[in-house]
Amino acid sequence: MSVLKLKLDQEQLVEDFFEDTWLAGIVSQARDYQVCWQINKQLGFDLRVNNSLEINLTKNRRSYYFTVFEYQELTKSAAHYFYNNHCKAEFLLPELKHVDYIWLIKGNYYQAADVKLLTEQCRKVETVQLVTLLDMKDIKNKINLIF
């Protein structure tokens, strides 16, 4: 009897997940819930922690948990995900060690001008020091963002 093995095509998974997405890096010394609360006030969002999306990475037999906040804009068919990029000196995206949080905008509603406006509004948040758009090509560990 032969055993059929199925292999997950990670490249296709990454390509599908990141279709119609924008990614921004945020630098802030404040806690994730504080930054999200202020972004909610500034942008009229409702980012909330979603424990079912929490990302668990294991390195050197230790587990690290990265919080993910979520906001669904149903009228625009868009979703916003706000990732904590560090946990106990480990990074969700090690190539972005200078970034505290990652903001993923998913959906085809937002175009470049819209995203630029959102990032400009986010820069006005009191606890945010820097917001920068990220190029997907520069991110090596995209698979870590997939929940």
Side-chain angles (χ1 to χ4, degrees):
M1 183 165 134
S2 65
V3 176
L4 178 65
K5 289 186 180 182
L6 298 176
K7 186 176 179 186
L8 182 64
D9 183 353
Q10 287 190 344
E11 286 181 25
Q12 186 64 47
L13 177 69
V14 167
E15 187 178 315
D16 290 346
F17 183 84
F18 289 101
E19 186 178 352
D20 294 324
T21 60
W22 296 91
L23 207 58
I26 297 175
V27 176
S28 175
Q29 298 302 309
R31 304 284 304 228
D32 54 7
Y33 63 89
Q34 293 169 318
V35 177
C36 285
W37 182 77
Q38 289 188 341
I39 288 173
N40 286 343
K41 278 185 20 182
Q42 181 70 35
L43 279 71
F45 283 7
D46 191 21
L47 284 164
R48 293 175 184 235
V49 70
N50 186 335
N51 292 324
S52 66
L53 298 179
E54 184 176 70
I55 296 172
N56 177 16
L57 292 182
T58 304
K59 291 184 181 179
N60 302 327
R61 291 182 281 162
R62 290 192 62 196
S63 289
Y64 299 93
Y65 299 93
F66 298 89
T67 308
V68 179
F69 290 73
E70 176 184 32
Y71 169 53
Q72 296 283 336
E73 281 188 285
L74 300 177
T75 58
K76 297 178 181 175
S77 297
H80 300 265
Y81 300 99
F82 188 86
Y83 300 80
N84 206 327
N85 191 39
H86 51 78
C87 174
K88 300 178 186 169
E90 283 297 331
F91 294 90
L92 185 61
L93 297 178
E95 62 272 25
L96 296 175
K97 290 182 180 178
H98 61 286
V99 170
D100 298 304
Y101 304 105
I102 296 140
W103 178 11
L104 177 85
I105 302 168
K106 194 167 176 50
N108 60 6
Y109 175 82
Y110 286 101
Q111 302 304 309
D114 304 313
V115 172
K116 184 177 184 226
L117 182 63
L118 282 176
T119 57
E120 286 171 3
Q121 290 176 322
C122 189
R123 285 186 186 109
K124 295 176 184 174
V125 171
E126 185 179 319
T127 57
V128 170
Q129 296 167 324
L130 174 76
V131 180
T132 185
L133 283 174
L134 303 171
D135 190 340
M136 292 289 190
K137 290 178 270 178
D138 297 336
I139 299 175
K140 299 175 192 130
N141 296 290
K142 290 182 201 126
I143 193 82
N144 291 354
L145 296 175
I146 298 174
F147 29 79

